[in-house]
Amino acid sequence: MTPPPPRLVPRRAVPLPSASSRCARGPRPPWSRSSVASPTTTMVPRAVDTTAITAMAHGMLREVHASGFAPLIVEPTFAPRRILSELGSAYPRDVVGLGLAATIFGGWLTTLPLMFAQPEAALPNLFAGLGLAPGPLAAALPAASAVLVMAFRTWITTGVFVTVHDAIHGQVAPSFPRVNHLVGSVCAFCYASFSYKLLYRDHNKHHANPTAVDDPDYHEGGLKRWLLGFLAHYSTFWQLFWESFQFWSFVAVGQRLMGIPFGHMTARVALVWALPSLLSGLQLFYFGTYLPHRNSPSSKHHARSNDWPWVVSLVTCFHFGCCHEEHHAFPSVAWWELPTVRAQRKGLEGQVRAKCTSN
Protein backbone atom coordinates (compact mmCIF):
# COMPACT_ATOMS: atom_id res chain seq x y z
CA MET A 1 0.00 0.00 0.00
CA THR A 2 1.48 3.32 -1.10
CA PRO A 3 1.66 5.99 1.62
CA PRO A 4 -0.22 9.20 0.89
CA PRO A 5 1.85 12.18 -0.29
CA PRO A 6 2.77 14.77 2.37
CA ARG A 7 0.30 17.56 2.87
CA LEU A 8 1.56 20.97 1.84
CA VAL A 9 0.61 23.74 4.23
CA PRO A 10 0.72 27.23 2.63
CA ARG A 11 2.74 29.83 4.52
CA ARG A 12 0.91 32.84 5.88
CA ALA A 13 1.63 36.05 4.06
CA VAL A 14 3.24 38.75 6.16
CA PRO A 15 1.13 41.90 5.85
CA LEU A 16 2.87 45.11 4.92
CA PRO A 17 2.76 47.90 7.49
CA SER A 18 -0.14 50.20 7.01
CA ALA A 19 -0.04 53.97 6.74
CA SER A 20 -1.41 54.35 10.25
CA SER A 21 1.32 52.14 11.72
CA ARG A 22 3.93 54.13 9.83
CA CYS A 23 2.62 57.35 11.26
CA ALA A 24 2.66 55.85 14.76
CA ARG A 25 6.30 54.95 14.41
CA GLY A 26 7.28 58.48 13.54
CA PRO A 27 8.73 60.13 10.45
CA ARG A 28 11.03 58.20 8.19
CA PRO A 29 14.73 59.02 8.31
CA PRO A 30 15.83 61.43 5.60
CA TRP A 31 18.13 58.91 3.91
CA SER A 32 15.35 56.29 3.53
CA ARG A 33 13.23 56.51 0.36
CA SER A 34 10.93 53.65 1.27
CA SER A 35 9.83 52.04 4.46
CA VAL A 36 10.87 48.56 3.29
CA ALA A 37 14.09 48.07 1.37
CA SER A 38 13.85 46.03 -1.75
CA PRO A 39 15.82 42.76 -1.71
CA THR A 40 17.58 43.76 -4.90
CA THR A 41 18.82 47.13 -3.54
CA THR A 42 22.65 47.36 -3.05
CA MET A 43 24.00 49.70 -0.34
CA VAL A 44 27.17 51.48 -1.57
CA PRO A 45 29.21 53.12 1.28
CA ARG A 46 30.40 56.65 0.72
CA ALA A 47 34.14 57.27 0.53
CA VAL A 48 35.48 59.14 3.58
CA ASP A 49 37.68 62.16 2.91
CA THR A 50 40.64 61.83 5.38
CA THR A 51 42.33 65.10 4.44
CA ALA A 52 40.58 67.09 7.12
CA ILE A 53 41.14 64.37 9.74
CA THR A 54 44.85 64.20 8.95
CA ALA A 55 45.23 67.97 9.13
CA MET A 56 43.42 68.03 12.48
CA ALA A 57 45.65 65.24 13.87
CA HIS A 58 48.81 67.08 12.79
CA GLY A 59 47.55 70.23 14.42
CA MET A 60 46.93 68.38 17.68
CA LEU A 61 50.45 66.93 17.60
CA ARG A 62 51.95 70.37 17.05
CA GLU A 63 50.01 71.70 20.02
CA VAL A 64 51.15 68.80 22.20
CA HIS A 65 54.85 69.28 21.37
CA ALA A 66 54.57 73.05 21.65
CA SER A 67 53.17 72.69 25.17
CA GLY A 68 56.17 70.65 26.28
CA PHE A 69 54.14 67.52 26.89
CA ALA A 70 56.28 64.37 26.69
CA PRO A 71 54.36 61.42 25.28
CA LEU A 72 54.43 58.24 27.34
CA ILE A 73 56.84 55.67 25.84
CA VAL A 74 56.29 52.20 27.16
CA GLU A 75 59.54 50.22 27.07
CA PRO A 76 59.49 46.45 26.70
CA THR A 77 59.75 44.37 29.84
CA PHE A 78 63.14 42.90 28.87
CA ALA A 79 65.47 45.62 27.58
CA PRO A 80 69.13 44.43 27.68
CA ARG A 81 70.58 47.85 26.89
CA ARG A 82 68.59 49.53 29.62
CA ILE A 83 69.50 46.81 32.14
CA LEU A 84 73.21 47.05 31.31
CA SER A 85 73.08 50.84 31.50
CA GLU A 86 71.44 50.72 34.92
CA LEU A 87 73.95 48.15 36.17
CA GLY A 88 76.85 50.23 34.85
CA SER A 89 75.60 53.36 36.58
CA ALA A 90 74.82 51.59 39.86
CA TYR A 91 77.91 49.37 40.02
CA PRO A 92 80.60 50.99 37.82
CA ARG A 93 83.64 49.46 39.57
CA ASP A 94 82.02 46.02 39.65
CA VAL A 95 81.33 46.13 35.94
CA VAL A 96 84.90 47.18 35.11
CA GLY A 97 86.45 44.72 37.55
CA LEU A 98 84.42 41.75 36.36
CA GLY A 99 84.89 42.78 32.73
CA LEU A 100 88.69 42.93 33.05
CA ALA A 101 88.74 39.66 35.00
CA ALA A 102 86.65 37.96 32.29
CA THR A 103 88.90 39.38 29.56
CA ILE A 104 92.11 38.19 31.23
CA PHE A 105 90.75 34.77 32.12
CA GLY A 106 89.20 34.43 28.66
CA GLY A 107 92.55 35.21 27.03
CA TRP A 108 94.23 32.60 29.22
CA LEU A 109 91.57 29.98 28.53
CA THR A 110 91.27 30.48 24.77
CA THR A 111 95.04 30.23 24.19
CA LEU A 112 95.39 27.09 26.30
CA PRO A 113 94.29 24.72 23.45
CA LEU A 114 97.32 25.85 21.42
CA MET A 115 99.10 22.84 22.92
CA PHE A 116 96.84 20.61 20.78
CA ALA A 117 96.99 22.71 17.57
CA GLN A 118 98.67 21.38 14.41
CA PRO A 119 99.28 17.83 15.71
CA GLU A 120 101.45 16.97 12.70
CA ALA A 121 104.13 19.51 13.78
CA ALA A 122 106.52 19.31 16.72
CA LEU A 123 105.28 22.65 18.10
CA PRO A 124 102.34 24.85 17.08
CA ASN A 125 103.36 27.50 14.55
CA LEU A 126 101.35 30.72 14.45
CA PHE A 127 102.82 31.57 11.03
CA ALA A 128 102.07 28.25 9.33
CA GLY A 129 99.35 29.78 7.17
CA LEU A 130 101.62 32.34 5.51
CA GLY A 131 102.77 29.85 2.87
CA LEU A 132 106.33 31.12 2.65
CA ALA A 133 108.84 29.40 0.38
CA PRO A 134 111.58 27.40 2.08
CA GLY A 135 114.37 29.68 3.22
CA PRO A 136 115.99 31.32 6.24
CA LEU A 137 112.86 33.29 7.11
CA ALA A 138 110.56 30.28 6.92
CA ALA A 139 113.02 28.27 9.02
CA ALA A 140 113.10 30.96 11.74
CA LEU A 141 109.33 31.35 12.03
CA PRO A 142 108.68 28.26 14.21
CA ALA A 143 111.15 29.52 16.82
CA ALA A 144 109.66 33.02 16.67
CA SER A 145 106.19 31.52 17.09
CA ALA A 146 107.31 29.58 20.17
CA VAL A 147 108.80 32.71 21.74
CA LEU A 148 105.67 34.74 20.98
CA VAL A 149 103.35 32.07 22.41
CA MET A 150 105.42 31.73 25.58
CA ALA A 151 105.68 35.51 26.05
CA PHE A 152 101.95 36.10 25.70
CA ARG A 153 101.06 33.11 27.83
CA THR A 154 103.44 34.32 30.55
CA TRP A 155 101.92 37.81 30.57
CA ILE A 156 98.30 36.62 30.53
CA THR A 157 99.07 34.10 33.30
CA THR A 158 100.48 36.97 35.34
CA GLY A 159 97.16 38.72 34.77
CA VAL A 160 95.33 35.70 36.16
CA PHE A 161 97.27 36.00 39.43
CA VAL A 162 96.70 39.78 39.49
CA THR A 163 92.98 38.97 39.35
CA VAL A 164 93.48 36.69 42.37
CA HIS A 165 95.30 39.53 44.15
CA ASP A 166 92.48 41.98 43.44
CA ALA A 167 89.93 39.44 44.68
CA ILE A 168 91.88 39.12 47.96
CA HIS A 169 91.45 42.88 48.40
CA GLY A 170 87.78 42.63 47.36
CA GLN A 171 88.21 44.71 44.20
CA VAL A 172 87.04 42.36 41.44
CA ALA A 173 83.40 42.81 42.47
CA PRO A 174 83.33 45.10 45.54
CA SER A 175 79.53 45.04 45.86
CA PHE A 176 79.25 41.26 45.54
CA PRO A 177 81.69 39.56 47.97
CA ARG A 178 80.65 36.00 47.11
CA VAL A 179 81.16 36.57 43.41
CA ASN A 180 84.44 38.32 44.14
CA HIS A 181 85.88 35.43 46.17
CA LEU A 182 84.51 32.83 43.73
CA VAL A 183 86.42 34.47 40.90
CA GLY A 184 89.52 34.58 43.10
CA SER A 185 89.25 30.89 43.99
CA VAL A 186 88.84 29.76 40.38
CA CYS A 187 91.73 31.91 39.15
CA ALA A 188 94.00 30.79 42.01
CA PHE A 189 93.54 27.14 41.12
CA CYS A 190 93.91 27.72 37.38
CA TYR A 191 97.06 29.78 37.93
CA ALA A 192 99.10 27.20 39.84
CA SER A 193 96.69 25.04 41.88
CA PHE A 194 96.96 27.46 44.80
CA SER A 195 94.62 27.51 47.78
CA TYR A 196 92.79 30.83 47.76
CA LYS A 197 92.31 30.71 51.54
CA LEU A 198 96.04 30.36 52.17
CA LEU A 199 96.86 33.16 49.74
CA TYR A 200 94.26 35.34 51.42
CA ARG A 201 95.76 34.70 54.85
CA ASP A 202 99.40 35.23 53.85
CA HIS A 203 98.80 38.33 51.75
CA ASN A 204 96.96 40.04 54.60
CA LYS A 205 99.96 39.26 56.80
CA HIS A 206 102.18 40.94 54.21
CA HIS A 207 100.06 44.10 54.27
CA ALA A 208 99.80 44.13 58.06
CA ASN A 209 103.55 44.43 58.57
CA PRO A 210 105.62 44.67 55.34
CA THR A 211 109.27 43.53 55.42
CA ALA A 212 108.92 42.34 59.02
CA VAL A 213 109.98 38.97 60.38
CA ASP A 214 106.46 37.53 60.06
CA ASP A 215 106.01 38.84 56.50
CA PRO A 216 105.72 35.72 54.28
CA ASP A 217 106.71 37.69 51.18
CA TYR A 218 109.95 39.06 52.63
CA HIS A 219 113.18 37.15 53.23
CA GLU A 220 116.45 38.73 54.21
CA GLY A 221 119.47 38.15 52.02
CA GLY A 222 120.15 38.52 48.35
CA LEU A 223 117.92 37.83 45.38
CA LYS A 224 118.64 34.09 45.27
CA ARG A 225 117.94 33.44 48.93
CA TRP A 226 114.83 35.59 48.86
CA LEU A 227 113.50 33.79 45.76
CA LEU A 228 114.10 30.32 47.21
CA GLY A 229 112.40 31.28 50.46
CA PHE A 230 109.49 32.80 48.54
CA LEU A 231 108.97 29.66 46.41
CA ALA A 232 109.40 27.31 49.35
CA HIS A 233 106.73 29.15 51.36
CA TYR A 234 104.05 29.03 48.67
CA SER A 235 104.80 25.51 47.38
CA THR A 236 102.84 22.82 49.23
CA PHE A 237 102.40 19.10 48.69
CA TRP A 238 98.89 19.37 47.27
CA GLN A 239 99.81 22.30 45.07
CA LEU A 240 102.67 20.31 43.51
CA PHE A 241 100.47 17.22 43.28
CA TRP A 242 97.73 18.97 41.30
CA GLU A 243 100.25 20.69 39.07
CA SER A 244 101.85 17.33 38.20
CA PHE A 245 98.44 15.74 37.69
CA GLN A 246 97.36 18.44 35.24
CA PHE A 247 100.66 18.32 33.34
CA TRP A 248 100.53 14.59 32.65
CA SER A 249 96.78 14.73 31.99
CA PHE A 250 97.39 17.23 29.18
CA VAL A 251 100.14 14.99 27.81
CA ALA A 252 97.87 11.93 27.93
CA VAL A 253 95.01 13.71 26.15
CA GLY A 254 97.27 14.86 23.33
CA GLN A 255 98.96 11.50 22.91
CA ARG A 256 95.94 9.19 23.25
CA LEU A 257 93.19 11.21 21.62
CA MET A 258 95.07 13.24 19.01
CA GLY A 259 97.98 10.95 18.20
CA ILE A 260 100.70 13.48 19.04
CA PRO A 261 104.01 11.77 19.92
CA PHE A 262 104.86 11.70 23.63
CA GLY A 263 107.98 13.85 23.31
CA HIS A 264 106.25 16.46 21.16
CA MET A 265 103.26 16.60 23.52
CA THR A 266 105.49 17.03 26.56
CA ALA A 267 107.25 19.96 24.88
CA ARG A 268 103.89 21.48 23.90
CA VAL A 269 102.51 21.35 27.44
CA ALA A 270 105.73 22.85 28.77
CA LEU A 271 105.63 25.64 26.17
CA VAL A 272 101.96 26.61 26.55
CA TRP A 273 101.19 25.80 30.19
CA ALA A 274 104.06 24.88 32.53
CA LEU A 275 106.82 27.33 31.60
CA PRO A 276 104.50 30.38 31.37
CA SER A 277 103.22 29.63 34.87
CA LEU A 278 106.76 29.36 36.24
CA LEU A 279 107.98 32.47 34.41
CA SER A 280 104.98 34.49 35.55
CA GLY A 281 105.83 33.55 39.13
CA LEU A 282 109.34 34.88 38.63
CA GLN A 283 107.92 38.00 36.99
CA LEU A 284 105.53 38.63 39.89
CA PHE A 285 108.29 38.07 42.41
CA TYR A 286 110.88 40.31 40.76
CA PHE A 287 108.69 43.25 39.67
CA GLY A 288 105.95 43.01 42.30
CA THR A 289 107.87 41.99 45.43
CA TYR A 290 111.66 42.18 45.18
CA LEU A 291 112.11 45.57 43.53
CA PRO A 292 109.44 47.38 45.61
CA HIS A 293 110.58 45.95 48.98
CA ARG A 294 114.31 45.30 48.69
CA ASN A 295 116.49 46.92 51.35
CA SER A 296 113.28 47.67 53.29
CA PRO A 297 112.57 51.25 52.09
CA SER A 298 112.19 53.87 54.79
CA SER A 299 108.74 54.98 53.61
CA LYS A 300 105.67 54.55 55.78
CA HIS A 301 104.70 51.26 54.12
CA HIS A 302 108.27 50.04 53.47
CA ALA A 303 107.59 50.04 49.73
CA ARG A 304 108.69 52.04 46.71
CA SER A 305 107.28 52.85 43.30
CA ASN A 306 109.07 53.29 39.96
CA ASP A 307 108.59 56.08 37.43
CA TRP A 308 108.23 53.83 34.41
CA PRO A 309 106.02 54.56 31.39
CA TRP A 310 102.42 53.34 31.53
CA VAL A 311 102.96 50.57 28.95
CA VAL A 312 106.08 49.26 30.72
CA SER A 313 104.20 49.35 34.01
CA LEU A 314 101.36 47.31 32.50
CA VAL A 315 103.59 44.76 30.78
CA THR A 316 105.90 44.13 33.72
CA CYS A 317 103.39 43.55 36.52
CA PHE A 318 100.00 45.15 35.75
CA HIS A 319 101.08 48.39 37.52
CA PHE A 320 101.92 46.69 40.84
CA GLY A 321 105.64 47.26 40.36
CA CYS A 322 105.51 50.92 39.37
CA CYS A 323 102.71 51.79 41.81
CA HIS A 324 103.51 49.49 44.73
CA GLU A 325 103.73 52.19 47.37
CA GLU A 326 100.33 53.50 46.27
CA HIS A 327 98.96 49.97 46.51
CA HIS A 328 100.06 49.67 50.15
CA ALA A 329 98.74 53.13 50.93
CA PHE A 330 95.39 52.43 49.25
CA PRO A 331 94.80 48.65 49.20
CA SER A 332 91.16 49.15 48.22
CA VAL A 333 92.23 50.52 44.82
CA ALA A 334 92.12 48.06 41.92
CA TRP A 335 95.13 47.46 39.68
CA TRP A 336 93.65 49.42 36.79
CA GLU A 337 93.16 52.48 39.04
CA LEU A 338 96.69 52.62 40.42
CA PRO A 339 98.26 54.84 37.69
CA THR A 340 95.58 57.49 38.26
CA VAL A 341 96.12 57.41 42.02
CA ARG A 342 99.88 57.70 41.55
CA ALA A 343 99.50 60.66 39.19
CA GLN A 344 97.22 62.44 41.66
CA ARG A 345 99.60 61.72 44.52
CA LYS A 346 102.59 63.04 42.58
CA GLY A 347 100.61 66.16 41.68
CA LEU A 348 99.78 66.83 45.32
CA GLU A 349 103.39 66.27 46.35
CA GLY A 350 104.52 68.70 43.66
CA GLN A 351 102.12 71.34 44.94
CA VAL A 352 103.38 70.86 48.50
CA ARG A 353 107.01 71.20 47.40
CA ALA A 354 106.17 74.33 45.39
CA LYS A 355 104.51 75.94 48.43
CA CYS A 356 107.40 75.00 50.69
CA THR A 357 109.90 76.44 48.20
CA SER A 358 107.94 79.67 47.81
CA ASN A 359 107.71 80.10 51.58
Side-chain angles (χ1 to χ4, degrees):
M1 182 176 180
T2 305
R7 184 180 179 184
L8 301 178
V9 179
R11 297 178 61 184
R12 291 189 303 170
V14 179
L16 294 176
S18 60
S20 59
S21 64
R22 290 197 302 267
C23 294
R25 292 176 184 176
R28 291 177 297 176
W31 59 81
S32 177
R33 293 185 177 274
S34 62
S35 59
V36 179
S38 174
T40 59
T41 306
T42 303
M43 303 297 292
V44 180
R46 292 177 56 189
V48 180
D49 186 8
T50 60
T51 305
I53 299 176
T54 304
M56 182 169 54
H58 287 176
M60 292 175 63
L61 289 175
R62 284 194 296 270
E63 292 178 1
V64 167
H65 289 291
S67 61
F69 176 78
L72 178 62
I73 300 176
V74 181
E75 296 186 357
T77 305
F78 178 72
R81 292 184 179 179
R82 177 177 59 81
I83 294 175
L84 292 177
S85 176
E86 292 178 356
L87 286 176
S89 59
Y91 307 101
R93 299 184 72 247
D94 300 90
V95 171
V96 176
L98 289 173
L100 289 174
T103 302
I104 293 172
F105 188 76
W108 179 88
L109 190 63
T110 54
T111 54
L112 188 63
L114 283 174
M115 65 176 70
F116 304 114
Q118 303 169 8
E120 69 282 354
L123 293 174
N125 185 4
L126 300 177
F127 309 106
L130 296 180
L132 297 177
L137 179 60
L141 287 182
S145 174
V147 172
L148 184 61
V149 169
M150 186 181 296
F152 178 78
R153 286 285 303 173
T154 300
W155 180 75
I156 203 69
T157 305
T158 302
V160 173
F161 186 83
V162 167
T163 303
V164 177
H165 176 268
D166 262 19
I168 291 174
H169 288 285
Q171 300 308 307
V172 173
S175 304
F176 307 96
R178 291 185 178 181
V179 176
N180 175 85
H181 295 306
L182 176 61
V183 172
S185 301
V186 172
C187 290
F189 185 81
C190 291
Y191 174 75
S193 302
F194 280 137
S195 169
Y196 179 73
K197 291 183 179 180
L198 296 180
L199 292 177
Y200 186 91
R201 180 199 66 187
D202 291 343
H203 193 68
N204 283 323
K205 287 182 179 179
H206 167 69
H207 273 268
N209 202 359
T211 70
V213 178
D214 57 345
D215 181 5
D217 291 355
Y218 182 78
H219 298 273
E220 294 182 354
L223 174 62
K224 183 179 179 180
R225 185 176 178 181
W226 193 344
L227 175 61
L228 292 177
F230 184 85
L231 295 177
H233 176 79
Y234 286 102
S235 298
T236 62
F237 170 79
W238 286 111
Q239 186 257 342
L240 297 176
F241 170 79
W242 284 114
E243 287 295 281
S244 302
F245 177 80
Q246 293 177 70
F247 183 93
W248 296 116
S249 297
F250 286 138
V251 173
V253 169
Q255 183 186 14
R256 297 291 182 178
L257 301 183
M258 307 192 67
I260 302 175
F262 177 81
H264 292 177
M265 195 61 214
T266 304
R268 286 164 170 262
V269 177
L271 172 70
V272 177
W273 183 76
L275 288 178
S277 181
L278 179 61
L279 293 176
S280 69
L282 299 177
Q283 178 181 353
L284 287 164
F285 167 76
Y286 186 77
F287 292 104
T289 301
Y290 177 72
L291 290 181
H293 292 292
R294 66 174 177 174
N295 300 327
S296 187
S298 58
S299 62
K300 178 181 178 181
H301 303 283
H302 301 282
R304 65 171 61 88
S305 298
N306 300 314
D307 290 325
W308 292 351
W310 186 90
V311 176
V312 178
S313 175
L314 176 66
V315 171
T316 52
C317 199
F318 285 79
H319 305 306
F320 280 109
C322 295
C323 307
H324 204 83
E325 187 177 2
E326 285 74 21
H327 168 60
H328 275 266
F330 308 100
S332 60
V333 173
W335 68 265
W336 48 275
E337 299 172 311
L338 286 174
T340 303
V341 173
R342 175 158 177 76
Q344 293 175 352
R345 187 178 183 182
K346 290 177 64 178
L348 292 175
E349 291 177 353
Q351 294 177 8
V352 171
R353 290 195 190 97
K355 289 182 179 181
C356 294
T357 305
S358 61
N359 295 335

